[in-house]
Amino acid sequence: MSNCHVLCFLPVKHSTVFSRLNHTLISVHQFKSQTHQILHSLLEKCNSMKQSKQIHAQIILNNLTDQTLTLGKLVSFCAVSDAGNLDYAHLVFNQISIPNKFMYNSLIRGYCNSNSPIKSMFLYRQLIDSGLSPNEFTFPFVLKACASKSAHWMSMIVHGHAQKLGFASLICVQNGLINAYIACGFIRYARKMFDDMSERSLVSWNSMIGGYSKLGWCKEVFLLFKEMREIGTEADDFTLVNLLLVCSRRCDINLGRFVHLYIQITGMKIDLVARNALIDMYAKCGALVLAERVFQQMPNKNVVSWTSMITAYAKQGLVEYARKSFDQMPEKNVVSWNSMISSYVQGGQCREALDLFHEMHSFRVVPNEATLLSVLSACGQIGDLVMGKKIHNYICGTSSMYSVTLCNSLIDMYAKCGALRIAIDVFNEMPNKNLVSWNVIIGALALHGYGVEAVELFRKMQAAGVWPDEITFMGLLSACSHSGLVDSGLYYFDKMSSIYGFKPEIEHYTCMVDLLGRGGLLGEAVRVIGVMPMRPDIVIWGALLGACRTHGNVEIGKQILKQLLEAEPYSSGVYVLLSNLFSEAGRWEDVKNIRKLMNDNEIIKCRAVSLVEIEGRVYKFMVDDKTLQISSNVYSLLDQLSDHLKSIGYYCNMSSMVPESWETSR
């Protein structure tokens, strides 16, 4: 074969080099050498996978598979280039008998920047096992992969290798270690690495400031920023975004305004991300006017800018302004829709939230988990079981979205809609359960008065090795209260602190007062209030007053009247409880005094709202409500039913069902 001459036709149309090669007879040795050089040169100019595959075909056809330089270039293009294909790069890599360090580094870098950083760590281990030593191009990307997966043990191993091979002093490796330790939660290791650095780049400062910012360590963030400025290192947009982020998390508007003033005084030209961070900071600190000012002064706005303003309005309860901004958005993404839907839900406008979700569906915007969580919350609040089931079916049809969080939300929705059995089925069918799952189902059983079952489920939770938290005991004590399990409630209230180490909060004391009050142990309930380490609130006094009404104890009711009025003098619910207590005891003079207090303070009794589901839609109405289009039909049907009942000898005096104490206010 060495004495032969070869004519090779390379199928690349627009290359003058290939054209010349197609018509030239040369020796095999010369041909392989020149072909290798040509293919290597073509790989430098390659810009598509189609071209790279053609070049790969020529490498195989011309028996150039031993040319590691060319193959390495091919692997690098497929692994790193935006036009490449990582799977194809790994396929080529696996066919090479002895891959070199450059090939390993290219694949490690490719997987690090993809959705499979774990493969970078496997390749690193394979590199070590093959007898090759990593270099300064290996460590930064392996450490980036460790950071993305919070692989603390792997980070330490890589750190040890870097020290052993003499690369631990390189600034790129040190920055990678700082990021990896921060991502793994080892902020003190990261700070030690930072302090030991002989030279720091802006990336080093930003990494350390960003790490503290994510933890909410405001003091450390600004001390580092001060030190950074003192040595003459200029901040950039990443620095400012991290400073604003910690101000947002701590709701520290003073430091936030300091950062804004620093930008104005230094004349820094900040990018869109930093401007959006300014809006977010002011919004979360409640400075709506300043957030609006930054928004209006922005030369360019993106979807994040608009969404931040929607969130700002919603935080202040200005849902109408939020909707106006939403409607004005030139472009919307799923986050924008989620923000507006969530604003409606938080504002108690659940029907509007569901209507907007339908509108979102009509625009073919695919919902994500956050969307479904808000919609399920809306369904639970207004009892829209039909819509809740539709969302459940959608989740079941999309396996990628069947998360533990969504299952927990489904349980909560079904429980609030009265479908406790379905809620229990969802819980039992969950392949994985977290603490929230147990808390939600215990709360669901408590809501429906299944105290014994809630206690039994708590025991199963303990047997499963799940450690409870304060919310668990809230549900457990509530379940005991609603079912009259006084002994069990007292037992778990004691174990909460003596065994599990949780100090009871005011919500737990409220459950205990309600439990003892419902059980008729009013004296014990009063003693519990007396030993509370915090001041009783309106809820606790209301619970005790409700118990006084149930058991007809007017004396204790009168004793807590003063505390109730001091705690919340303008709560209509307090006056209603007192009036009902006195009227049921026949204390009409006291009823009259309560009515006078209400009139003097211009307090109006809150009107109760009822919900009814008709053909899959939930309607809200109040007493004598005639605002609905179908109201006339409803009242006509009620009249017919009333006439029918009278015709068969049944008569019900509806006015007798109204509390006598309220008759004069109608």
Coordinates of all heavy atoms in Angstrom, one line a residue, residues 281-352:
M281 N -35.5 45.9 44.8 CA -35.1 46.3 46.2 C -36.1 47.3 46.8 O -36.6 47.1 47.9 CB -33.7 46.9 46.2 CG -33.2 47.3 47.6 SD -33.7 49.0 48.1 CE -32.8 50.0 46.8
Y282 N -36.4 48.3 46.0 CA -37.4 49.3 46.5 C -38.8 48.7 46.7 O -39.5 49.0 47.7 CB -37.5 50.5 45.5 CG -36.3 51.5 45.7 CD1 -35.6 51.9 44.5 CD2 -36.0 52.0 46.9 CE1 -34.6 52.8 44.7 CE2 -34.9 52.9 47.0 CZ -34.3 53.3 45.9 OH -33.2 54.2 46.0
A283 N -39.1 47.8 45.8 CA -40.5 47.1 45.9 C -40.5 46.3 47.2 O -41.5 46.4 48.0 CB -40.7 46.2 44.7
K284 N -39.5 45.5 47.5 CA -39.5 44.6 48.7 C -39.4 45.4 50.0 O -39.8 44.9 51.0 CB -38.4 43.6 48.6 CG -38.7 42.5 47.5 CD -37.7 41.5 47.4 CE -38.1 40.4 46.3 NZ -37.0 39.4 46.1
C285 N -38.8 46.6 49.9 CA -38.7 47.5 51.0 C -39.9 48.3 51.2 O -40.0 49.1 52.2 CB -37.5 48.3 50.9 SG -35.9 47.4 51.1
G286 N -40.9 48.2 50.3 CA -42.1 48.9 50.5 C -42.1 50.4 50.0 O -43.0 51.1 50.2
A287 N -41.0 50.8 49.3 CA -40.9 52.1 48.8 C -41.4 52.2 47.3 O -40.6 52.2 46.4 CB -39.4 52.6 48.8
L288 N -42.7 52.1 47.2 CA -43.3 52.0 45.9 C -43.0 53.2 45.0 O -42.8 53.1 43.8 CB -44.8 51.8 46.0 CG -45.6 51.6 44.8 CD1 -45.1 50.4 44.0 CD2 -47.1 51.5 45.1
V289 N -43.0 54.4 45.6 CA -42.8 55.6 44.8 C -41.4 55.6 44.2 O -41.2 56.0 43.0 CB -42.9 56.9 45.7 CG1 -42.6 58.2 44.9 CG2 -44.4 57.0 46.2
L290 N -40.4 55.2 45.0 CA -39.0 55.1 44.5 C -38.9 54.0 43.4 O -38.1 54.2 42.4 CB -38.0 54.8 45.6 CG -37.9 56.0 46.6 CD1 -37.0 55.6 47.8 CD2 -37.4 57.2 46.0
A291 N -39.6 52.9 43.6 CA -39.5 51.9 42.6 C -40.1 52.4 41.2 O -39.6 52.1 40.2 CB -40.3 50.6 43.1
E292 N -41.2 53.1 41.3 CA -41.9 53.7 40.1 C -40.9 54.7 39.5 O -40.8 54.7 38.2 CB -43.2 54.4 40.5 CG -44.3 53.5 40.8 CD -45.6 54.2 41.2 OE1 -45.5 55.3 41.9 OE2 -46.7 53.8 40.8
R293 N -40.2 55.5 40.3 CA -39.3 56.5 39.7 C -38.2 55.8 38.9 O -37.9 56.2 37.8 CB -38.7 57.3 40.8 CG -37.9 58.5 40.3 CD -37.4 59.3 41.5 NE -38.5 59.8 42.3 CZ -38.3 60.3 43.6 NH1 -37.1 60.4 44.1 NH2 -39.4 60.7 44.2
V294 N -37.6 54.7 39.5 CA -36.5 54.0 38.8 C -37.1 53.4 37.5 O -36.5 53.5 36.4 CB -35.9 52.9 39.7 CG1 -34.9 52.1 38.9 CG2 -35.2 53.5 40.9
F295 N -38.3 52.8 37.6 CA -38.9 52.2 36.4 C -39.2 53.2 35.3 O -38.9 52.9 34.1 CB -40.2 51.6 36.9 CG -41.0 50.9 35.8 CD1 -40.6 49.6 35.3 CD2 -42.1 51.5 35.2 CE1 -41.3 49.0 34.3 CE2 -42.8 50.9 34.2 CZ -42.4 49.6 33.7
Q296 N -39.7 54.4 35.7 CA -40.0 55.4 34.6 C -38.7 56.0 34.0 O -38.8 56.4 32.9 CB -40.8 56.5 35.3 CG -42.2 56.0 35.7 CD -42.9 57.0 36.6 OE1 -42.4 58.0 37.0 NE2 -44.2 56.7 37.0
Q297 N -37.6 56.0 34.7 CA -36.4 56.6 34.2 C -35.6 55.6 33.4 O -34.6 55.9 32.8 CB -35.5 57.1 35.4 CG -36.1 58.3 36.1 CD -35.3 58.7 37.3 OE1 -34.4 58.0 37.7 NE2 -35.6 59.9 37.9
M298 N -36.0 54.3 33.3 CA -35.3 53.3 32.6 C -35.4 53.6 31.1 O -36.5 53.7 30.6 CB -35.8 51.9 32.9 CG -35.5 51.5 34.3 SD -36.2 49.8 34.7 CE -35.2 48.8 33.6
P299 N -34.3 53.7 30.3 CA -34.4 53.9 28.9 C -35.0 52.7 28.1 O -35.6 52.8 27.1 CB -32.9 54.2 28.5 CG -32.1 53.5 29.6 CD -32.9 53.6 30.8
N300 N -34.7 51.5 28.7 CA -35.2 50.3 28.1 C -35.7 49.4 29.2 O -35.2 49.4 30.3 CB -34.1 49.5 27.3 CG -33.5 50.3 26.2 OD1 -34.3 50.7 25.3 ND2 -32.2 50.5 26.2
K301 N -36.8 48.8 28.9 CA -37.5 47.9 29.9 C -37.6 46.5 29.3 O -38.0 46.4 28.1 CB -38.8 48.4 30.4 CG -38.8 49.8 30.9 CD -40.2 50.3 31.3 CE -40.2 51.7 31.8 NZ -39.9 52.7 30.8
N302 N -37.4 45.5 30.1 CA -37.7 44.1 29.6 C -38.8 43.5 30.4 O -39.4 44.2 31.3 CB -36.5 43.3 29.6 CG -35.9 43.1 31.0 OD1 -36.5 43.5 32.0 ND2 -34.8 42.4 31.1
V303 N -39.1 42.3 30.2 CA -40.2 41.6 30.9 C -40.0 41.5 32.4 O -40.9 41.6 33.2 CB -40.4 40.2 30.3 CG1 -39.2 39.3 30.6 CG2 -41.7 39.6 30.8
V304 N -38.7 41.5 32.8 CA -38.4 41.4 34.2 C -38.7 42.8 34.9 O -39.3 42.8 36.0 CB -36.9 41.1 34.5 CG1 -36.5 41.1 35.9 CG2 -36.5 39.8 33.9
S305 N -38.5 43.9 34.2 CA -38.8 45.2 34.7 C -40.3 45.3 35.0 O -40.7 45.8 36.1 CB -38.3 46.3 33.7 OG -37.1 46.0 33.2
W306 N -41.1 45.0 34.0 CA -42.5 45.1 34.1 C -43.0 44.1 35.3 O -43.9 44.5 36.1 CB -43.2 44.7 32.8 CG -43.1 45.8 31.8 CD1 -42.1 45.9 30.8 CD2 -43.9 46.9 31.6 NE1 -42.4 47.0 30.0 CE2 -43.5 47.6 30.5 CE3 -45.1 47.4 32.3 CZ2 -44.1 48.8 30.1 CZ3 -45.7 48.5 31.8 CH2 -45.2 49.3 30.8
T307 N -42.5 42.9 35.3 CA -42.9 41.9 36.3 C -42.6 42.4 37.7 O -43.4 42.2 38.6 CB -42.3 40.6 36.0 OG1 -42.6 40.2 34.7 CG2 -42.8 39.5 37.0
S308 N -41.4 43.1 37.8 CA -41.0 43.6 39.2 C -42.0 44.7 39.6 O -42.4 44.7 40.8 CB -39.6 44.2 39.1 OG -38.7 43.2 38.8
M309 N -42.5 45.5 38.7 CA -43.5 46.5 39.1 C -44.8 45.9 39.4 O -45.5 46.4 40.4 CB -43.7 47.5 37.9 CG -42.6 48.6 37.8 SD -42.2 49.4 39.4 CE -43.8 50.1 39.9
I310 N -45.2 44.9 38.7 CA -46.5 44.2 39.1 C -46.4 43.6 40.5 O -47.3 43.8 41.3 CB -46.7 43.0 38.1 CG1 -47.0 43.6 36.7 CG2 -47.9 42.1 38.6 CD1 -47.1 42.5 35.6
T311 N -45.2 43.0 40.8 CA -45.0 42.5 42.2 C -45.0 43.6 43.2 O -45.6 43.4 44.3 CB -43.7 41.7 42.2 OG1 -43.7 40.7 41.2 CG2 -43.5 41.0 43.6
A312 N -44.5 44.7 42.9 CA -44.4 45.9 43.8 C -45.8 46.4 44.1 O -46.1 46.6 45.3 CB -43.6 47.0 43.2
Y313 N -46.6 46.5 43.1 CA -48.0 46.9 43.3 C -48.8 45.9 44.1 O -49.6 46.3 45.1 CB -48.7 47.2 42.0 CG -48.3 48.4 41.3 CD1 -47.9 48.4 39.9 CD2 -48.3 49.7 41.9 CE1 -47.5 49.5 39.3 CE2 -47.9 50.8 41.2 CZ -47.5 50.8 39.9 OH -47.1 51.9 39.3
A314 N -48.6 44.6 43.8 CA -49.3 43.6 44.6 C -48.9 43.6 46.0 O -49.8 43.4 46.9 CB -49.0 42.2 43.9
K315 N -47.6 43.8 46.3 CA -47.2 43.8 47.7 C -47.9 44.9 48.5 O -48.1 44.8 49.7 CB -45.7 44.0 47.7 CG -45.0 44.0 49.1 CD -43.5 44.2 49.0 CE -42.9 44.3 50.4 NZ -43.1 43.0 51.2
Q316 N -48.2 46.0 47.8 CA -48.9 47.1 48.5 C -50.4 47.0 48.5 O -51.1 47.9 48.9 CB -48.5 48.4 47.9 CG -47.0 48.8 48.0 CD -46.5 48.9 49.5 OE1 -47.2 49.5 50.3 NE2 -45.4 48.3 49.8
G317 N -50.9 45.8 47.9 CA -52.3 45.6 47.8 C -53.0 46.4 46.7 O -54.3 46.4 46.6
L318 N -52.2 46.9 45.8 CA -52.8 47.7 44.7 C -52.9 46.8 43.4 O -52.2 46.9 42.4 CB -51.9 48.9 44.3 CG -51.6 49.9 45.5 CD1 -50.6 50.9 45.1 CD2 -52.9 50.5 45.9
V319 N -53.9 45.9 43.5 CA -54.0 44.9 42.5 C -54.5 45.5 41.2 O -54.1 45.0 40.1 CB -55.0 43.8 42.9 CG1 -55.2 42.7 41.9 CG2 -54.6 43.1 44.3
E320 N -55.3 46.5 41.2 CA -55.8 47.2 40.0 C -54.6 47.8 39.3 O -54.5 47.8 38.0 CB -56.8 48.3 40.4 CG -58.1 47.7 40.9 CD -59.1 48.8 41.2 OE1 -58.8 49.9 40.9 OE2 -60.2 48.4 41.6
Y321 N -53.7 48.5 40.0 CA -52.5 49.0 39.3 C -51.6 47.9 38.8 O -51.0 48.1 37.7 CB -51.7 49.9 40.3 CG -52.3 51.2 40.7 CD1 -53.2 51.3 41.7 CD2 -51.9 52.3 39.9 CE1 -53.8 52.6 42.0 CE2 -52.5 53.6 40.2 CZ -53.4 53.7 41.2 OH -54.0 54.9 41.5
A322 N -51.5 46.8 39.5 CA -50.7 45.7 39.0 C -51.3 45.2 37.7 O -50.6 44.9 36.7 CB -50.7 44.5 40.0
R323 N -52.7 45.1 37.6 CA -53.3 44.6 36.4 C -53.1 45.6 35.2 O -52.9 45.2 34.1 CB -54.8 44.3 36.6 CG -55.5 43.8 35.4 CD -54.9 42.5 34.9 NE -55.3 42.0 33.6 CZ -56.3 41.1 33.5 NH1 -56.9 40.6 34.5 NH2 -56.6 40.8 32.3
K324 N -53.1 46.9 35.6 CA -52.9 47.9 34.5 C -51.5 47.8 33.9 O -51.4 47.8 32.7 CB -53.1 49.3 35.1 CG -53.0 50.4 34.1 CD -53.3 51.8 34.8 CE -53.1 52.9 33.8 NZ -53.3 54.2 34.4
S325 N -50.5 47.6 34.8 CA -49.1 47.3 34.3 C -49.1 46.1 33.5 O -48.4 46.0 32.4 CB -48.2 47.3 35.5 OG -48.1 48.5 36.2
F326 N -49.7 45.0 34.0 CA -49.7 43.7 33.2 C -50.3 43.9 31.8 O -49.8 43.4 30.9 CB -50.5 42.7 34.0 CG -50.6 41.4 33.4 CD1 -49.6 40.5 33.5 CD2 -51.8 41.0 32.7 CE1 -49.7 39.2 32.9 CE2 -51.9 39.8 32.1 CZ -50.8 38.9 32.2
D327 N -51.4 44.6 31.7 CA -52.0 44.8 30.4 C -51.2 45.7 29.5 O -51.3 45.6 28.3 CB -53.4 45.5 30.6 CG -54.4 44.5 31.3 OD1 -54.2 43.3 31.2 OD2 -55.4 45.0 31.9
Q328 N -50.3 46.5 30.0 CA -49.5 47.4 29.2 C -48.2 46.8 28.8 O -47.5 47.3 28.0 CB -49.1 48.7 30.0 CG -50.3 49.6 30.3 CD -50.0 50.8 31.1 OE1 -48.9 50.8 31.7 NE2 -50.9 51.8 31.2
M329 N -47.9 45.6 29.3 CA -46.6 44.9 29.0 C -46.6 44.6 27.5 O -47.5 44.0 26.9 CB -46.5 43.6 29.8 CG -46.2 43.8 31.2 SD -46.0 42.2 32.1 CE -44.4 41.7 31.4
P330 N -45.5 45.0 26.8 CA -45.4 44.7 25.4 C -45.1 43.2 25.1 O -45.4 42.7 24.1 CB -44.2 45.6 25.0 CG -43.4 45.8 26.2 CD -44.4 45.8 27.3
E331 N -44.5 42.6 26.1 CA -44.2 41.1 26.0 C -44.4 40.5 27.4 O -44.0 41.0 28.4 CB -42.8 41.0 25.5 CG -42.3 39.5 25.4 CD -40.8 39.4 25.1 OE1 -40.2 40.5 24.9 OE2 -40.3 38.3 25.0
K332 N -45.0 39.3 27.4 CA -45.2 38.6 28.6 C -44.6 37.2 28.5 O -44.7 36.6 27.4 CB -46.7 38.5 28.9 CG -47.5 39.8 29.0 CD -48.9 39.5 29.3 CE -49.7 40.8 29.4 NZ -50.0 41.4 28.1
N333 N -44.1 36.7 29.6 CA -43.7 35.3 29.7 C -44.4 34.6 30.8 O -45.3 35.3 31.5 CB -42.2 35.2 29.9 CG -41.7 35.9 31.2 OD1 -42.4 36.2 32.0 ND2 -40.4 36.0 31.3
V334 N -44.1 33.4 31.1 CA -44.9 32.7 32.1 C -44.7 33.3 33.5 O -45.6 33.2 34.3 CB -44.5 31.2 32.1 CG1 -43.0 31.0 32.5 CG2 -45.4 30.3 33.0
V335 N -43.6 33.9 33.7 CA -43.3 34.5 35.0 C -44.3 35.7 35.2 O -44.8 36.0 36.3 CB -41.8 34.9 35.2 CG1 -41.6 35.6 36.5 CG2 -40.9 33.7 35.1
S336 N -44.5 36.5 34.1 CA -45.4 37.6 34.2 C -46.8 37.2 34.5 O -47.5 37.8 35.4 CB -45.4 38.3 32.9 OG -44.1 38.6 32.4
W337 N -47.3 36.1 33.8 CA -48.6 35.6 34.1 C -48.7 35.1 35.6 O -49.7 35.4 36.3 CB -48.9 34.5 33.2 CG -49.2 34.9 31.7 CD1 -48.3 35.0 30.7 CD2 -50.4 35.4 31.2 NE1 -48.9 35.5 29.6 CE2 -50.2 35.7 29.8 CE3 -51.7 35.5 31.7 CZ2 -51.2 36.1 29.0 CZ3 -52.7 35.9 30.8 CH2 -52.5 36.3 29.5
N338 N -47.7 34.4 36.0 CA -47.6 33.9 37.4 C -47.7 35.0 38.4 O -48.4 34.9 39.4 CB -46.4 33.1 37.6 CG -46.3 31.8 36.9 OD1 -47.4 31.4 36.3 ND2 -45.2 31.1 36.9
S339 N -47.0 36.1 38.1 CA -47.0 37.2 39.1 C -48.4 37.8 39.2 O -48.8 38.1 40.3 CB -46.0 38.3 38.6 OG -45.9 39.4 39.4
M340 N -49.1 38.0 38.1 CA -50.4 38.6 38.1 C -51.4 37.6 38.8 O -52.3 38.1 39.6 CB -50.8 39.0 36.7 CG -52.1 39.9 36.7 SD -51.7 41.5 37.5 CE -53.0 41.5 38.7
I341 N -51.3 36.4 38.4 CA -52.2 35.4 39.0 C -52.0 35.3 40.5 O -53.0 35.3 41.3 CB -52.0 34.0 38.4 CG1 -52.5 34.0 36.9 CG2 -52.8 32.9 39.2 CD1 -52.2 32.7 36.2
S342 N -50.7 35.3 41.0 CA -50.4 35.3 42.4 C -50.9 36.5 43.1 O -51.4 36.5 44.2 CB -48.9 35.1 42.5 OG -48.5 35.2 43.9
S343 N -50.8 37.7 42.4 CA -51.3 38.9 43.0 C -52.8 38.9 43.3 O -53.3 39.3 44.3 CB -51.1 40.1 42.0 OG -49.7 40.3 41.8
Y344 N -53.6 38.3 42.4 CA -55.0 38.1 42.6 C -55.3 37.2 43.8 O -56.1 37.4 44.6 CB -55.7 37.5 41.3 CG -56.1 38.6 40.3 CD1 -55.8 38.4 39.0 CD2 -56.7 39.8 40.7 CE1 -56.1 39.4 38.0 CE2 -57.1 40.7 39.7 CZ -56.8 40.5 38.4 OH -57.2 41.5 37.5
V345 N -54.5 36.1 43.8 CA -54.7 35.1 44.9 C -54.4 35.7 46.3 O -55.2 35.6 47.2 CB -53.9 33.8 44.7 CG1 -54.0 32.9 45.8 CG2 -54.3 33.1 43.4
Q346 N -53.3 36.4 46.3 CA -52.9 37.1 47.6 C -53.9 38.1 48.0 O -54.1 38.4 49.2 CB -51.5 37.7 47.5 CG -50.4 36.6 47.3 CD -49.0 37.2 47.0 OE1 -48.9 38.5 47.1 NE2 -48.1 36.4 46.7
G347 N -54.5 38.8 47.0 CA -55.5 39.8 47.3 C -56.9 39.3 47.6 O -57.9 40.0 47.7
G348 N -57.0 37.9 47.6 CA -58.3 37.3 47.8 C -59.3 37.3 46.6 O -60.4 37.0 46.8
Q349 N -58.8 37.7 45.5 CA -59.6 37.8 44.3 C -59.4 36.5 43.4 O -58.8 36.5 42.4 CB -59.3 39.0 43.4 CG -59.5 40.3 44.2 CD -59.2 41.5 43.4 OE1 -59.4 41.6 42.2 NE2 -58.6 42.5 44.0
C350 N -59.8 35.4 44.0 CA -59.5 34.1 43.4 C -60.2 33.8 42.1 O -59.7 33.2 41.2 CB -59.8 33.0 44.4 SG -58.8 33.0 45.9
R351 N -61.5 34.3 42.0 CA -62.2 34.1 40.7 C -61.4 34.9 39.6 O -61.3 34.3 38.5 CB -63.6 34.7 40.9 CG -64.4 34.7 39.6 CD -64.4 33.3 38.9 NE -64.8 32.2 39.7 CZ -64.5 31.0 39.4 NH1 -63.9 30.7 38.3 NH2 -64.9 30.0 40.2
E352 N -60.9 36.1 39.9 CA -60.2 36.8 38.9 C -58.9 36.0 38.5 O -58.5 36.0 37.4 CB -59.8 38.2 39.4 CG -61.0 39.1 39.4 CD -61.9 38.9 40.7 OE1 -61.6 38.0 41.5 OE2 -62.9 39.7 40.8

